[in-house]
Amino acid sequence: MPSVEAGSLVVVTGVNGHLASTTALRLLQKGYIVRGTVRSLRTAAYVKKEFAQFGTSFEIVEVPDIVAVDAFSNAIKGASAIVHIASPVTFDAKKPEEQFVPAVDGTLNLLETARKERGIKKVLFVGSIGSVIMTAKDPAKEIITSKDWNIYTEQLVNNSDDPMVGFHIYVGSKLAAEKAAWKFVEDNKVDFSLTVLLPAVALGPIHKAVTGPPRPDVSLGWIYDYIAEVPRKDGAPTAEISLFVHTYDVADLFVASLTSPEADGERIIALGEKSSYAAVADILRKAYPDRKVPPADPNAAAMAFPGAEVIRFDTSLGAKLLGGKWRSLEDMVLGAAKDLVEKESRGWDKE
């Protein structure tokens, strides 16, 4: 597929979100023109101010309902590429349709609109590393690659009695949306290439509004649990089963994919480090000795999945596109913590 060079217009959906706002920033810094979508312009004031330095290279348009027919028609006019990030990112859903409908139908709606807009050369989609866990492989014996697929989550999303059902619904919605995207490209004549990033828990500096203590079921909330003036956790789990990636690495992979033919038609696993929340707490404790960061606790519950202790991933394509190196866990954690502490100290943001 043709390269999408700096100076081109790139649409970023859900631009007032954590990962999407970071992606918009990195695109702007590389010389792209960015049009971000939000559900309501009322929630876009902070991001608009954050990127005011880029002048007319950044604009925001309202897409109130991403599943509505032709919802994206005006948003993508004149664009050369789309980075689709808008999708529910919480673990509190009780029924699959709460997240499956916007994730799957919103994605297909966007792709259908992109198919009609002949200038679109690349569509970049954010999936989840959850789509390559719980595969048919024995993770103790084989490395997980982008060719592997989660084969169990779709069976788990309807068990409302499972305390992990919210996690399964989130992962299932990302998995279903990704499968639908690949099938759409396969079944339809399209002029664009599709690239899917499969990021781990994304941490890093914050370029969006945080209007209060972050929810405890999102990535920023998992940092705030330990760094809050009054910590929300009593102990940090020591199990080294948690998967992390820097938001800048994910954003930079999107940027690199615009000009790299190696990314066309690929799934790219984005994982910087496999570690524990005890390690996260250690980083925070050293950086913020005045805060009451909870101690390591081997009995504290950690979000786990079968094979989490031994699973290994092939992240070579992502590393290559990034120039050979992933940012460190320390960079991820401190980037997020610095902004959270600052926002908390001034009474949080106004949207």
Side-chain angles (χ1 to χ4, degrees):
M1 278 292 167
S3 179
V4 178
E5 302 291 339
S8 302
L9 172 61
V10 179
V11 172
V12 178
T13 67
V15 77
N16 54 342
H18 183 37
L19 182 56
S21 58
T22 300
T23 300
L25 173 64
R26 301 302 277 177
L27 286 165
L28 289 163
Q29 289 174 336
K30 293 295 184 180
Y32 289 90
I33 301 168
V34 175
R35 181 184 295 151
T37 74
V38 294
R39 280 185 291 180
S40 170
L41 291 175
R42 182 178 50 80
T43 65
Y46 185 93
V47 173
K48 190 173 182 180
K49 182 179 178 182
E50 179 84 354
F51 300 147
Q53 61 182 301
F54 297 102
T56 57
S57 290
F58 180 68
E59 66 171 318
I60 299 175
V61 296
E62 189 174 79
V63 179
D65 181 3
I66 64 174
V67 304
V69 176
D70 293 328
F72 291 102
S73 293
N74 291 327
I76 70 170
K77 280 197 178 303
S80 297
I82 302 168
V83 183
H84 182 41
I85 300 177
S87 190
V89 189
T90 62
F91 291 172
D92 63 347
K94 304 301 182 189
K95 297 180 179 179
E97 57 268 26
E98 293 176 41
Q99 294 195 354
F100 276 59
V101 171
V104 177
D105 293 358
T107 296
L108 290 176
N109 195 26
L110 177 60
L111 291 174
E112 176 58 27
T113 308
R115 185 182 67 82
K116 299 174 184 175
E117 183 69 24
R118 294 300 183 184
I120 302 295
K121 301 173 184 176
K122 293 178 184 278
V123 173
L124 313 178
F125 174 82
V126 64
S128 167
I129 201 169
S131 295
V132 286
I133 64 172
M134 297 189 288
T135 73
K137 284 182 176 177
D138 180 348
K141 298 177 180 178
E142 298 180 85
I143 293 175
I144 304 302
T145 76
S146 61
K147 304 297 183 186
D148 297 309
W149 289 86
N150 180 327
I151 61 171
Y152 292 106
T153 289
E154 289 171 312
Q155 304 167 28
L156 301 171
V157 297
N158 293 307
N159 183 4
S160 58
D161 294 328
D162 185 343
M164 292 283 287
V165 69
F167 167 76
H168 295 313
I169 290 173
Y170 166 72
V171 171
S173 73
K174 301 299 287 184
L175 177 63
E178 185 194 350
K179 286 183 174 180
W182 288 117
K183 188 173 189 307
F184 181 93
V185 170
E186 181 182 336
D187 292 348
N188 293 273
K189 184 178 179 181
V190 297
D191 296 327
F192 56 81
S193 64
L194 177 65
T195 300
V196 176
L197 298 193
L198 305 173
V201 172
L203 302 171
I206 305 169
H207 303 288
K208 55 160 274 185
V210 181
T211 58
R215 295 171 55 116
D217 60 347
V218 297
S219 62
L220 291 176
W222 298 330
I223 297 297
Y224 190 71
D225 284 344
Y226 302 109
I227 198 65
E229 286 192 354
V230 179
R232 301 192 299 200
K233 298 283 189 182
D234 296 324
T238 57
E240 294 186 354
I241 59 174
S242 298
L243 310 173
F244 302 101
V245 67
H246 201 297
T247 48
Y248 280 21
D249 281 342
V250 180
D252 288 349
L253 283 172
F254 279 130
V255 175
S257 295
L258 291 174
T259 55
S260 173
E262 289 183 89
D264 292 348
E266 294 290 341
R267 306 172 80 214
I268 303 173
I269 299 173
L271 170 64
E273 203 159 327
K274 181 183 174 188
S275 190
S276 69
Y277 277 94
V280 169
D282 284 344
I283 292 168
L284 293 171
R285 195 177 299 108
K286 291 173 184 175
Y288 297 93
D290 56 323
R291 296 262 168 161
K292 298 177 180 178
V293 179
D297 180 359
N299 296 315
M303 191 174 297
F305 56 88
E309 299 85 356
V310 295
I311 198 167
R312 294 167 296 155
F313 298 91
D314 179 359
T315 60
S316 57
L317 178 54
K320 182 179 181 181
L321 292 172
L322 290 173
K325 189 177 181 181
W326 300 91
R327 289 173 173 86
S328 70
L329 180 63
E330 183 175 25
D331 284 348
M332 303 175 209
V333 171
L334 293 183
K338 176 179 177 294
D339 289 342
L340 283 171
V341 168
E342 180 183 325
K343 290 173 184 291
E344 180 190 57
S345 69
R346 64 172 186 243
W348 304 103
D349 298 317
K350 301 291 185 279
E351 243 177 359

